[in-house]
Amino acid sequence: MSVLMEVKNLKTYFNTEAGLVKAVDGVSYHINENETIGIVGESGCGKSVTQLSTIQLIATPPGRIVEGGVFFEGRDILKLEKNGQEMRSIRGGKISVIFQEPMTSLNPVMTIGRQLTEAIELHLKMTKEDAKKRAIELLDLVGIPSAKQRLSDFPHQFSGGMRQRVMIALGLSCNPRIIIADEPTTALDVTTQAQLLKLMQDVVREFKASLVIVTHNLGVVARYVERIYVMYAGRIIESGSCKDIFAHPRHPYTMGLLRAVPRLNEPKGKKLVPIVGLPPNLLNMPDTCAFLPRCPYAVEKCRQIPWPELRTLENGVHQTACHLDF
Ligand code: SF4
């Protein structure tokens, strides 16, 4: 499998009145062609900021990408001018984002048809007529009944699940190579979540694109992703194949996330165990492992030496940022 995008040592900091927040602090990962990956972690761990940084969508100030590179199609796209034509044609064209809340991403006073055709005309240079045909095909593809008629409807005329389908259609409208879905189904009920994730998986396969699912819920991604990166306090603390991570998590934080996920093969009535404590304050980060105050396995060494770097385990793929072997 060849690498489609590689993020290297990305650091995004925010200057706040209270001090410097290192929201993303040395994150590296890659996405292969035709692959689905999951970026998982609690709210505030830096997973969304990482994704927004890769397409230069961080508001400056207060945010700033201070280091790192994002290599896509043979060059570092962080070196492109943020609002220049090249970066704009990558953002929304070759790399598209599906956000959690469609009502804030869709224009409430523009019909769905216009929003779709505008994006298609801009990025694919199609005529109005062809763009309209394409918009109908896309709405059909994402399961919106009577697609042709619905082109003239406004976002508020769709249900939550249908709006998210429209967002997926919009995300696909420019034949992207990478789709970033940031908590794409969080606001929806469990059945609609499953339908939409399956739909995303199917259309991404059909389009031969790659998909990045960003979520706080490890359970959500289990059936859809090939590899997982787990983030904590602005860093990746474990990565590996979905199978390895579910079968044998190697970092206590990932173990905690898994214990909080219901599993079908466990006895009925088994209690889910939340991770105790709160994520660290990014304004006041310790030198030692950031998970230390919440870690049930911490030993003296964890209190003495700095936060470990990611290390590769025996299978050559799985990585953990923990001093201990599990
Ligand atoms: Fe827990 Fe120590 Fe591993 Fe951190 S390094 S996760 S404190 S065992």
Side-chain angles (χ1 to χ4, degrees):
M1 241 193 261
S2 56
V3 174
L4 180 57
M5 184 167 91
E6 184 163 24
V7 177
K8 280 190 183 167
N9 195 31
L10 183 68
K11 296 187 181 181
T12 305
Y13 297 172
F14 287 82
N15 283 307
T16 71
E17 280 182 15
L20 186 68
V21 171
K22 296 181 177 179
V24 178
D25 200 19
V27 163
S28 299
Y29 66 95
H30 70 275
I31 311 160
N32 292 317
E33 302 227 13
N34 309 330
E35 187 189 35
T36 298
I37 63 167
I39 310 265
V40 183
E42 289 164 297
S43 165
C45 70
K47 57 190 190 302
S48 297
V49 178
T50 301
Q51 298 309 312
L52 295 177
S53 302
T54 62
I55 45 172
Q56 296 207 48
L57 261 189
I58 294 293
T60 307
R64 195 165 40 100
I65 296 170
V66 295
E67 211 177 307
V70 174
F71 297 88
F72 177 66
E73 295 188 331
R75 64 195 164 157
D76 181 359
I77 58 172
L78 291 188
K79 296 229 157 60
L80 299 176
E81 199 191 318
K82 185 174 178 175
N83 291 316
Q85 205 199 329
E86 268 190 295
M87 194 63 225
R88 279 189 286 128
S89 82
I90 291 174
R91 192 194 301 133
K94 291 182 174 176
I95 303 176
S96 71
V97 189
I98 299 169
F99 290 105
Q100 177 182 156
E101 194 16 90
M103 272 318 256
T104 54
S105 315
L106 293 169
N107 185 337
V109 295
M110 203 188 253
T111 63
I112 292 300
R114 190 67 207 121
Q115 296 188 53
L116 277 165
T117 52
E118 205 169 63
I120 297 166
E121 284 166 34
L122 177 76
H123 289 284
L124 298 184
K125 312 278 178 250
M126 278 190 184
T127 61
K128 270 197 170 39
E129 207 174 310
D130 287 344
K132 190 173 168 190
K133 270 191 213 146
R134 176 93 179 120
I136 296 168
E137 276 168 19
L138 284 165
L139 290 182
D140 257 341
L141 182 74
V142 298
I144 301 223
S146 315
K148 195 172 175 187
Q149 287 73 39
R150 302 232 60 186
L151 282 183
S152 48
D153 284 348
F154 290 90
H156 73 270
Q157 293 171 285
F158 290 78
S159 68
M162 285 293 161
R163 271 199 295 270
Q164 199 54 294
R165 285 174 194 262
V166 172
M167 285 296 294
I168 297 172
L170 204 54
L172 291 167
S173 61
C174 306
N175 298 343
R177 301 199 68 199
I178 299 174
I179 299 171
I180 299 167
D182 190 356
E183 302 276 10
T185 58
T186 301
L188 304 169
D189 64 80
V190 178
T191 313
T192 315
Q193 274 192 19
Q195 285 171 352
L196 286 179
L197 285 165
K198 174 81 176 61
L199 169 71
M200 259 192 271
Q201 189 184 45
D202 290 346
V203 291
V204 156
R205 278 187 189 152
E206 189 175 325
F207 276 60
K208 297 200 179 350
S210 296
L211 175 65
V212 183
I213 301 179
V214 181
T215 179
H216 66 282
N217 188 340
L218 200 44
V220 160
V221 293
R223 291 171 56 188
Y224 307 99
V225 305
E226 282 132 49
R227 289 184 303 116
I228 292 176
Y229 292 91
V230 182
M231 284 190 70
Y232 192 76
R235 295 197 199 177
I236 288 169
I237 51 92
E238 181 161 6
S239 70
S241 71
C242 184
K243 202 165 144 235
D244 283 349
I245 285 194
F246 271 78
H248 189 178
R250 308 293 283 266
H251 191 286
Y253 176 61
T254 316
M255 293 175 203
L257 288 178
L258 282 170
R259 277 195 288 266
V261 170
R263 291 198 184 199
L264 287 174
N265 59 357
E266 280 181 344
K268 210 173 154 194
K270 187 166 186 247
K271 281 197 174 157
L272 300 179
V273 189
I275 301 173
V276 292
L278 293 170
N281 178 354
L282 295 181
L283 282 165
N284 190 16
M285 285 291 288
D287 290 334
T288 50
C289 171
F291 192 57
L292 175 60
R294 305 171 80 185
C295 182
Y297 305 101
V299 294
E300 196 48 34
K301 162 158 98 166
C302 307
R303 295 180 184 86
Q304 305 289 343
I305 44 180
W307 194 358
E309 296 287 326
L310 273 174
R311 65 189 165 91
T312 305
L313 300 166
E314 59 286 343
N315 71 1
V317 182
H318 203 143
Q319 293 190 306
T320 178
C322 176
H323 296 302
L324 304 185
D325 288 316
F326 291 95

